[in-house]
Amino acid sequence: MNARAPWREERACAIVAEHRHLRGSLLPILHALQEEFGCIDQAAVPLLARELNLSRADVHGVVSFYHEFRRTRPGRHTVKVCRAEACQSMGCDDLVSHIERSLSVSLGGTTADDAFTVESVFCLGNCALSPAVMVDERLYGRVDARRIDAILGATLAAETAR
Ligand code: FES
């Protein structure tokens, strides 16, 4: 499940204070902020510029350069579908189409019920078992349409069991 705490400047400042001693502290701080809030809130850019003595453009440039930094809050679960070569050759495009159809969402988007954000990634290190998918932190191999339906159904079922 994704962390999605609401943005709180006070908490963000505490995260900055915990990491600012690190060399090249901007990246670890951005990772920590995303881990806490689920994304890099717009308010993080001026805050980091001020705290780290950088320009807003510098901070903004780093946030936009790295695709792993989200600008909007993700759904409760993230589905990462590998679209690199080995998974391509084993039909990941059909899998992506199936997911988009069945969840009514486009790659990069979040379902209307906020349950899933679907993203493409390039190699999950599971090429021998392609097509590969990662749901939250869990990696799956040889995923076809039927299997992804079962995985996503089980993910939602686990939520209600909590
Ligand atoms: S190419 Fe998909 S896991 Fe490596």
Side-chain angles (χ1 to χ4, degrees), residues 18-61:
E18 284 161 26
H19 295 83
R20 68 182 320 147
H21 66 282
L22 299 173
R23 198 175 167 157
S25 61
L26 179 56
L27 279 176
I29 289 171
L30 287 170
H31 281 288
L33 289 175
Q34 182 156 290
E35 209 172 299
E36 178 82 13
F37 302 112
C39 66
I40 306 301
D41 192 279
Q42 252 188 336
V45 173
L47 182 142
L48 292 177
R50 186 183 72 226
E51 292 291 320
L52 302 178
N53 204 19
L54 298 168
S55 73
R56 289 183 186 203
D58 286 340
V59 179
H60 178 75

Side-chain angles (χ1 to χ4, degrees), residues 124-146:
L124 289 164
N126 200 30
C127 317
L129 297 175
S130 52
V133 171
M134 184 175 262
V135 179
D136 296 331
E137 299 308 314
R138 193 148 173 205
L139 182 61
Y140 300 88
R142 298 213 171 103
V143 181
D144 59 13
R146 213 167 58 176

Side-chain angles (χ1 to χ4, degrees), residues 82-87 123-127 130 132:
C82 176
R83 302 188 75 202
E85 201 175 331
C87 289
C123 199
L124 289 164
N126 200 30
C127 317
S130 52

Side-chain angles (χ1 to χ4, degrees), residues 2 26-35 37-41 61-74 78 80 117 119-122:
N2 288 316
L26 179 56
L27 279 176
I29 289 171
L30 287 170
H31 281 288
L33 289 175
Q34 182 156 290
E35 209 172 299
F37 302 112
C39 66
I40 306 301
D41 192 279
V62 171
V63 174
S64 342
F65 181 78
Y66 292 99
H67 293 300
E68 72 234 54
F69 294 129
R70 293 193 181 95
R71 314 299 294 279
T72 54
R73 258 162 62 99
T78 303
K80 293 180 178 165
T117 294
E119 300 174 338
S120 59
V121 290
F122 289 88

Side-chain angles (χ1 to χ4, degrees), residues 98 116 140 143-157:
H98 172 79
F116 296 108
Y140 300 88
V143 181
D144 59 13
R146 213 167 58 176
R147 184 135 193 257
I148 193 68
D149 289 346
I151 292 166
L152 299 183
T155 302
L156 289 182

